[in-house]
Amino acid sequence: MKYVFVTGGVLSGLGKGITASSVGRLLKSRGLKVTAIKIDPYLNIDAGTMNPFEHGEVFVLEDGGEVDLDLGNYERFLDVNLTSNHNITTGKVYRAVIEKERMGEYLGKTVQIIPHITNEIKNEIRGVAEATGADVCIVELGGTVGDIESMPFLEAVRQMNTELGRGENCLFMHTTLVPVLGTVGEQKTKPTQHSVKELRSIGIQPDIIVARAKQALEYSIKRKISLFCDVPLEAVISAPDAKSIYEVPLILDEQGLTDFMIKRLGIEGGSEDLRDWKKLLERILHPSRTVNIACVGKYTHLADSYISHLEAFHHSGAEKDTKVDLCFVDSEIIQEHGVTEELEEADGILIPGGFGNRGILGKMLAAKYARENRVPFLGICLGFQISTIEIARDVIGLETAHSTEFDPETCDPVVDLLPEQREIKKKGATMRLGGQPVVVTEGSKAYDLYGKTLIMERHRHRYEVNPKYIERLEDAGWKFTGKSPDGLRMEIAELQGHPYFVASQFHPEFKSRPGKPSPLHLGLVNAAIERKFGASS
Ligand code: GLN
């Protein structure tokens, strides 16, 4: 097993996750089996309890792991399914060590960060990587070098390098920022020098520096970084702003990064195969038409909160030679001011998942607008529940229908907790999570899109459509065309007589991949194209 450790310097938000994913994709394009691990140095056990406002989307894995959104990037770029063990957090590491201490496993020793925490980190990384049978494991360290929280992880990977034959099996890639100063636009290397110095003071010498900058690095700047940071010139790589994240692997590859890594790690790589990737990028960069989709939610000022939807639309658009412009509309604004121009101009509307009361009525107004005006609509998770409530209120006439999440005393709990969920007080990892089977009704729109009756999709919810209301909802035209195999949980609904008004309790966006778009997102894009350009498109 070979390891590529990706660290970050200068500041966060440099796209380290995309760099790590791209590097993985490049190694994969040479016929290598690649896996990836994300280290998050926070004390939370997992991302499940974290607010998307702060951290972006919580990504959900097949095994129900609620993880950092970078795992979504790895899954999409590498086309693999990862498990929750691939996201190592300080919380998980300390919990494991403290449990062992309570079991007496340390034989009376004083338990310390070095060696006990660092040993645990090393064992977890190696255990997870080796279990996959991959040739190379990319390990991305969250945060920036110099953060107190990152220290035990950096120390652990430093030790790993020594134990695995000093440089033979481990490669260190450091991502930094090269800012531009002044009117002449001089690229400045000092922040990079300082962060490499910081890394070296911990005992890690980077093998590769990936420098984010507005433009490609000038040759003289590459030389300067090479000299000051003691990295070969060919291992100083520019990562200029890209038009699409799917362009990044190609930008890195063109500079010889893949060849350098393969040589440096002493592995046999096959000949490069990036043909499908290049085709995808071509379709993303040069689409022949555009449709507008409005995403009505509450985390709208942080695009990362809906990153998997954004990607699912990229994948769907690429299939149809169409650019999907996703515009984020704050549901509170609709709640206050009614349907806005942005919504009226949209060729399709998405209501994504969410929690909490804020902006709920705005989302209902958006669903009603789509229903009445025959605008293509997709509701996901909370969006599924909202559209069900809206139909119960407006079509059936149950004026106070609600979810008990928002109105525990409602007379018509159209969306409610199952009895088993009522008992649960703990918040972490207690929702209905991960891949669950769904039976799709033949002849439905969902069946047309999935092409089969048994599908597996990922979930993350507590509340469900209340079985007591199913008959009335179906009589009102809201047909449940996807259910759990026991028939008790409602999973997909479709409004009869509408061009495309579909909602699901699960999150198809988490399984969307380049070349294999989420069927329900593709359905929305198809319907939006039809609405804008006519039926023959
Ligand atoms: N808040 C809703 C529930 O818990 C929906 C969750 C979601 O959209 N992910 O069921």
Side-chain angles (χ1 to χ4, degrees):
M1 176 68 64
K2 307 279 179 176
Y3 294 92
V4 176
F5 295 109
V6 183
T7 54
V10 186
L11 45 91
S12 61
L14 288 181
K16 186 155 38 97
I18 294 299
T19 305
S21 305
S22 300
V23 163
R25 181 71 212 193
L26 289 175
L27 292 169
K28 185 179 162 139
S29 77
R30 300 291 175 98
L32 296 163
K33 188 166 178 217
V34 183
T35 190
I37 293 175
K38 172 79 193 285
I39 290 177
D40 281 308
Y42 45 65
L43 278 158
N44 305 58
I45 299 284
D46 59 38
T49 53
M50 294 169 96
N51 186 339
F53 268 122
E54 244 176 79
H55 274 273
E57 163 190 286
V58 177
F59 191 75
V60 181
L61 300 169
E62 208 57 24
D63 70 357
E66 298 169 277
V67 293
D68 183 81
L69 60 83
D70 274 323
L71 274 87
N73 289 323
Y74 306 158
E75 285 205 342
R76 289 185 283 265
F77 272 60
L78 299 175
D79 195 13
V80 290
N81 277 342
L82 301 173
T83 68
S84 50
N85 295 335
H86 286 251
N87 196 183
I88 301 177
T89 66
T90 300
K92 278 187 192 165
V93 172
Y94 272 72
R95 181 172 69 176
V97 169
I98 290 167
E99 273 168 14
K100 284 184 189 159
E101 186 273 333
R102 292 288 84 185
M103 297 303 283
E105 283 186 34
Y106 297 114
L107 305 173
K109 288 250 184 292
T110 309
V111 181
Q112 295 179 298
I113 293 182
I114 304 173
H116 302 100
I117 293 291
T118 45
N119 283 352
E120 185 66 33
I121 295 169
K122 288 187 288 183
N123 290 341
E124 283 190 23
I125 295 176
R126 293 183 69 169
V128 172
E130 277 159 22
T132 63
D135 303 304
V136 184
C137 180
I138 314 285
V139 183
E140 180 191 345
L141 283 95
T144 19
V145 169
D147 297 346
I148 292 178
E149 293 96 329
S150 308
M151 287 297 184
F153 292 102
L154 287 164
E155 169 59 15
V157 301
R158 184 197 65 77
Q159 290 174 16
M160 261 180 86
N161 182 32
T162 309
E163 287 162 17
L164 293 174
R166 224 174 252 286
E168 273 174 41
N169 296 302
C170 298
L171 183 154
F172 288 94
M173 177 179 289
H174 191 54
T175 57
T176 69
L177 174 74
V178 174
V180 169
L181 265 199
T183 39
V184 279
E186 198 189 340
Q187 294 180 322
K188 305 303 277 183
T189 66
K190 199 61 99 188
T192 300
Q193 294 179 42
H194 276 291
S195 90
V196 168
K197 201 165 140 194
E198 184 86 39
L199 197 58
R200 279 191 183 146
S201 72
I202 313 165
I204 295 172
Q205 164 64 38
D207 300 287
I208 297 169
I209 291 178
V210 176
R212 286 280 292 112
K214 274 223 135 351
Q215 310 268 316
L217 294 188
E218 286 154 29
Y219 181 68
S220 62
I221 297 297
K222 275 197 173 188
R223 270 201 16 212
K224 197 165 170 186
I225 293 177
S226 161
L227 183 68
F228 281 94
C229 303
D230 203 14
V231 167
L233 187 59
E234 78 248 51
V236 181
I237 306 289
S238 282
D241 288 351
K243 290 192 244 19
S244 153
I245 55 167
Y246 295 98
E247 201 182 2
V248 177
L250 304 175
I251 295 175
L252 302 180
D253 189 55
E254 269 164 18
Q255 298 172 69
L257 178 63
T258 327
D259 291 328
F260 181 85
M261 287 194 292
I262 285 183
K263 199 166 77 202
R264 167 67 186 66
L265 284 169
I267 32 182
E268 288 275 316
S271 58
E272 178 206 273
D273 187 1
L274 282 167
R275 276 170 301 178
D276 285 350
W277 197 265
K278 284 180 183 160
K279 257 191 249 157
L280 171 86
L281 180 67
E282 181 54 31
R283 274 185 264 146
I284 288 179
L285 292 185
H286 306 290
S288 54
R289 58 192 167 189
T290 304
V291 291
N292 297 303
I293 306 281
C295 169
V296 181
K298 75 170 180 182
Y299 313 118
T300 44
H301 45 265
L302 183 60
D304 265 1
S305 307
Y306 299 115
I307 182 169
S308 290
H309 285 293
L310 207 64
E311 294 310 324
F313 284 125
H314 280 145
H315 307 154
S316 302
E319 292 294 300
K320 308 297 297 180
D321 193 16
T322 301
K323 178 169 187 242
V324 179
D325 256 340
L326 196 59
C327 121
F328 295 101
V329 181
D330 188 336
S331 48
E332 275 189 302
I333 303 222
I334 300 182
Q335 187 159 320
E336 268 171 49
H337 304 286
V339 168
T340 58
E341 215 169 278
E342 283 153 312
L343 213 59
E344 281 166 357
E345 276 166 12
D347 308 305
I349 295 174
L350 167 77
I351 301 190
F355 297 84
N357 222 334
R358 203 144 56 75
I360 285 295
L361 288 177
K363 290 182 192 178
M364 269 185 232
L365 277 179
K368 180 180 159 80
Y369 171 78
R371 180 172 62 74
E372 291 181 340
N373 293 282
R374 299 173 66 76
V375 181
F377 172 87
L378 179 61
I380 300 294
C381 204
L382 180 62
F384 171 78
Q385 300 172 358
I386 291 283
S387 37
T388 303
I389 298 165
E390 196 280 316
I391 288 168
R393 287 186 178 190
D394 222 52
V395 183
I396 307 180
L398 304 172
E399 276 168 32
T400 57
H402 223 321
S403 162
T404 50
E405 178 178 7
F406 310 119
D407 181 3
E409 307 303 328
T410 174
C411 310
D412 281 304
V414 172
V415 175
D416 198 5
L417 286 178
L418 285 187
E420 71 226 38
Q421 273 286 347
R422 289 202 191 111
E423 307 307 318
I424 299 172
K425 294 281 172 282
K426 213 167 90 181
K427 285 279 183 267
T430 54
M431 283 189 248
R432 178 167 179 251
L433 291 168
Q436 312 275 354
V438 174
V439 179
V440 181
T441 313
E442 268 181 62
S444 61
K445 286 204 172 78
Y447 179 79
D448 285 348
L449 290 162
Y450 279 94
K452 53 186 174 189
T453 50
L454 186 64
I455 58 170
M456 278 292 273
E457 286 285 12
R458 299 183 187 176
H459 294 69
R460 183 171 187 250
H461 65 111
R462 270 183 226 289
Y463 292 81
E464 314 248 353
V465 169
N466 187 339
K468 280 191 219 143
Y469 291 88
I470 290 168
E471 220 182 291
R472 272 186 282 172
L473 286 162
E474 292 212 319
D475 287 347
W478 190 225
K479 287 266 185 300
F480 293 98
T481 57
K483 296 181 183 174
S484 59
D486 61 11
L488 297 178
R489 295 171 191 266
M490 299 304 109
E491 292 277 11
I492 308 174
E494 303 178 11
L495 186 65
Q496 306 304 294
H498 188 289
Y500 191 85
F501 193 101
V502 177
S504 67
Q505 184 58 76
F506 54 79
H507 293 264
E509 69 275 19
F510 292 139
K511 283 178 79 165
S512 191
R513 307 263 164 96
K516 291 179 244 171
S518 146
L520 299 187
H521 289 73
L522 182 61
L524 181 66
V525 171
N526 281 336
I529 293 172
E530 214 173 294
R531 180 179 169 86
K532 187 166 180 185
F533 301 102
S536 56
S537 338

